[in-house]
Amino acid sequence: MPSKRFKKLPEKTLELTSDVIEKLLSNVKKNCTTKFDESVDLSFQINNKQKKNEINIRTVINLPGGSGKKVKVAVVCEDTKVSEAKDAGADLVGGDDFIEKIKGGEMNFEKLICTPAMMIKLSKLGKVLGPKGLMPNPKLGSVTTDIKKAVTDAKSGQAEIRNDKDGNIGVSIGKKSFHDDQLLKNFHAILDTLEKEKGNLTLKGDLIKNTFITSSMGVSYKVKLGKII
């Protein structure tokens, strides 16, 4: 049964004419009536059903306006890299002993970074880490020798852009407490990233079919994009 708070939210927003995000942000924020700082989230429906193959996108982006999230970062590395990882702000750091803990089910972290040398050992835990989206990936910058940069990026506001099998991409552009300029910077950075991804694909038609914006506990509005991707 809908709560009293939810009943006060606007109804049938999907029947409204789509509008540019600059005009929708005030409505989205107005709908943030919970006591916590709600996330402002985007949902993209992409044109992933092609005749020859499906479109799969997976990349990361450093949000210029930040993410507003505190991310617990773990690093698997050699002993010579431990100090570098800790100095960069990693919450958990270790080598072979840490891998054994992960194997035993200790996964109290949200981002895992690994050096190439240790990845050979960590790759054996693919069945454990993969389903949780925690397996380090060179393409995402989480398998690297530059531990400092990887940890800093993860801590400062990094978001993963990945579509599911039905062609949906969900990504947060920040919090209600963010200034509109921060949210817009993140929004346009994500569009630019998707445009670059499109350039790497063999695609018929536009990549993005529909775009929606909402808050954690709010309702959804259809976004009119200023450019076609």
Side-chain angles (χ1 to χ4, degrees), residues 6 13 19 31 35 39 46 62 76 79-80 86 105-106 108 119 139-140 165 169 173 181 190 207 225:
F6 189 80
T13 56
D19 210 338
N31 294 336
K35 294 181 180 179
S39 294
I46 67 168
N62 294 323
V76 173
D79 291 343
T80 54
K86 289 181 177 179
E106 290 187 33
N108 55 336
M119 191 60 195
K139 184 181 177 182
L140 305 180
K165 61 183 178 63
I169 297 174
I173 57 172
D181 285 346
I190 289 169
L207 174 63
L225 298 181

Side-chain angles (χ1 to χ4, degrees), residues 14 16 24 34 43 55 59 66 71 82 85-86 91 108 118 126 128-129 137-138 148 159 163 183 188 196 216:
L14 295 183
L16 298 175
L24 292 175
T34 59
S43 294
I55 301 299
T59 187
V71 181
V82 169
K86 289 181 177 179
D91 300 283
N108 55 336
M118 297 297 289
V128 177
L129 295 169
N137 187 320
K148 181 179 180 179
N163 67 280
L183 296 172
H188 290 299
K196 289 177 183 176
S216 300

Side-chain angles (χ1 to χ4, degrees), residues 56-226:
N56 290 305
I57 294 174
R58 189 180 185 190
T59 187
V60 291
I61 176 175
N62 294 323
L63 298 172
S67 66
K69 297 179 180 178
K70 291 183 178 180
V71 181
K72 195 169 186 179
V73 178
V75 175
V76 173
C77 62
E78 305 91 312
D79 291 343
T80 54
K81 291 278 188 179
V82 169
S83 295
E84 181 184 348
K86 289 181 177 179
D87 290 344
D91 300 283
L92 300 167
V93 185
D96 293 335
D97 56 336
F98 190 23
I99 292 177
E100 286 302 312
K101 288 180 180 179
I102 295 172
K103 186 178 180 180
E106 290 187 33
M107 288 179 283
N108 55 336
F109 49 82
E110 296 151 299
K111 179 81 174 183
L112 183 59
I113 295 166
C114 183
T115 58
M118 297 297 289
M119 191 60 195
I120 299 172
K121 298 177 181 180
L122 192 65
S123 62
K124 296 177 182 179
L125 302 183
K127 291 183 179 180
V128 177
L129 295 169
K132 296 181 180 295
L134 293 172
M135 177 59 78
N137 187 320
K139 184 181 177 182
L140 305 180
S142 47
V143 179
T144 178
T145 56
D146 193 347
I147 296 296
K148 181 179 180 179
K149 183 180 185 303
V151 173
T152 302
D153 286 347
K155 288 279 189 178
S156 62
Q158 195 176 61
E160 182 174 342
I161 299 176
R162 182 180 188 180
N163 67 280
D164 63 18
K165 61 183 178 63
D166 296 314
N168 301 304
I169 297 174
V171 60
S172 173
I173 57 172
K175 300 283 188 177
K176 175 203 172 185
S177 59
F178 279 27
H179 192 279
D180 284 4
D181 285 346
Q182 287 177 277
L183 296 172
L184 289 173
K185 282 181 181 178
N186 289 343
F187 173 75
H188 290 299
I190 289 169
L191 286 190
D192 289 343
T193 298
L194 288 174
E195 190 170 23
K196 289 177 183 176
E197 287 295 311
K198 180 186 177 182
N200 298 327
L201 302 170
T202 303
L203 177 71
K204 288 187 177 180
D206 300 327
L207 174 63
I208 300 175
K209 294 166 65 177
N210 291 299
T211 306
F212 299 90
I213 187 170
T214 185
S215 59
S216 300
M217 304 296 287
V219 290
S220 180
Y221 295 88
K222 191 172 182 179
V223 181
K224 181 180 180 180
L225 298 181

